[in-house]
Amino acid sequence: MDDPHDDTHLSDWRDAAVGDRVVVRADLDPDEARRSGRRWTDVIGVVVAVDADGLTLRRDPARRTDPRADEEVRVPATSVVAVRRLGPRPQRRGRPAAD
C-alpha cells in the first residue's frame, strides 16, 4: 500500500520540476513493444523541461561510461504511465589513498 506521506510519488507528471531526478515509466510504441516483448520502458534522468506535450530528461544511468549518459530523451505526454521522484545519485566512494 502506498504511503500517503511519501512525496516521491507524483500525482501528475506535470508536477515534475526542472532539476528533479526522476524515473518515468512510459508505454513503448507498438513496434518497439512487439520487438522487445515488453509493454513499458523506464527512463531515469534529470528533468530538463516539462510542458503540455511531455517531459524532456537528461539520462542519468548507473554507469557514467554508458554511451547514453547525458543524452536528452523526450517522453511524450501520451506515453507517460507514471513518474516517481528519486533522490540525488549517491556519490561513489573510492579506496582511501595509500600513505
Side-chain angles (χ1 to χ4, degrees), residues 27-79:
D27 281 323
L28 291 173
D29 70 46
D31 289 335
E32 287 176 296
R34 200 171 14 266
R35 282 192 306 268
S36 69
R38 298 179 300 146
R39 182 174 173 190
W40 304 287
T41 189
D42 292 334
V43 180
I44 296 175
V46 176
V47 178
V48 175
V50 180
D51 57 44
D53 296 324
L55 297 153
T56 302
L57 304 176
R58 187 180 77 257
R59 284 190 187 267
D60 185 25
R63 291 189 171 92
R64 298 302 304 161
T65 57
D66 186 318
R68 299 175 302 167
D70 297 326
E71 170 185 270
E72 286 195 5
V73 177
R74 182 70 179 169
V75 182
T78 56
S79 296

